[in-house]
Amino acid sequence: MDLESYLAFLNSGQMVVGGSEVHQFMHGVSQEAIRITAEINGRYHEPAELRKLFSELIGKPVDESFGLFPPFYTDCGKNITVGKNVFINSCCQFQDQGGITIGDGSLIGHSAIITTLNHDFAVAHRSSMHPAPVVIGKNVWLGARVTIVPGVTIGDGAIIGAGAVVTKDVPPKAVAAGVPARVIRMLEE
């Protein structure tokens, strides 16, 4: 298996069977992510160096407008896509096997957690996983300590309040907050 076929498999939404070839390849990708994030988090880097390291982590270049405040954590990295003028604040954790897309101008608050894998509910298959993408639209603001679960889309211009747990899609220009998050108002603009 190579990285391209691995990502294609994950992006198809098929179950990753525990112990399978895909699952074993996943562990190898994780080791590379651990190496690169250790470098990102291990010492001070100028912004251009951080962009270069983050580009290596995700396997594609990020725009010069991309900003990151370490530490940053991921156990994959290769299924993250970020637009222009994206800022990721410190202590964020991305589990991106199922795919994370962050649109232009979005701001990710301190300690945000974005997950894209669920383990199987059946006890006999608990080590198997189900990938589902998270899509964050343009100009979205995630407050501090927001958690987003697999399969969620957040519409353009939405705001997610600090500490919210987002379990379902959020429409564009909505303000959502709470556990579980719910829309509390719509923005005018």
Side-chain angles (χ1 to χ4, degrees):
M1 174 164 275
D2 61 10
L3 184 60
E4 187 176 330
S5 59
Y6 168 70
L7 292 175
F9 183 90
L10 291 174
N11 292 334
S12 74
Q14 295 179 65
M15 181 172 70
V16 177
V17 176
S20 67
E21 178 185 9
V22 175
H23 192 219
Q24 291 172 9
F25 192 86
M26 184 183 287
H27 285 287
V29 173
S30 293
Q31 293 307 302
E32 181 179 1
I34 290 167
R35 178 186 62 75
I36 297 169
T37 56
E39 177 64 25
I40 288 171
N41 300 334
R43 64 180 180 86
Y44 174 76
H45 297 280
E46 295 286 335
E49 277 184 286
L50 278 175
R51 285 191 298 274
K52 182 179 177 188
L53 286 165
F54 198 84
S55 294
E56 180 184 355
L57 177 67
I58 68 171
K60 51 192 162 271
V62 294
D63 190 76
E64 289 184 12
S65 61
F66 172 78
L68 171 70
F69 282 0
F72 175 80
Y73 305 97
T74 184
D75 56 358
C76 179
K78 298 302 186 214
N79 215 0
I80 298 171
T81 301
V82 295
K84 295 178 180 179
N85 295 305
V86 167
F87 175 69
I88 299 172
N89 219 323
S90 61
C91 298
C92 289
Q93 300 173 46
F94 289 10
Q95 179 199 48
D96 62 287
Q97 288 87 345
I100 296 172
T101 302
I102 302 172
D104 295 346
S106 288
L107 307 173
I108 311 301
H110 290 91
S111 301
I113 299 171
I114 302 174
T115 64
T116 65
L117 284 177
N118 274 324
H119 285 277
D120 201 89
F121 282 18
V123 174
H125 301 286
R126 191 63 46 88
S127 65
S128 295
M129 293 163 276
H130 301 273
V134 168
V135 177
I136 298 170
K138 295 179 180 180
N139 300 307
V140 169
W141 173 22
L142 302 184
R145 296 194 183 277
V146 164
T147 298
I148 302 173
V149 302
V152 167
T153 295
I154 298 176
D156 293 349
I159 298 172
I160 310 299
V165 177
V166 185
T167 61
K168 62 183 180 177
D169 292 355
V170 175
K173 296 182 182 175
V175 178
V179 179
R182 62 178 180 81
V183 174
I184 58 173
R185 74 177 231 207
M186 297 301 292
L187 298 170
E188 302 190 22
E189 283 185 52

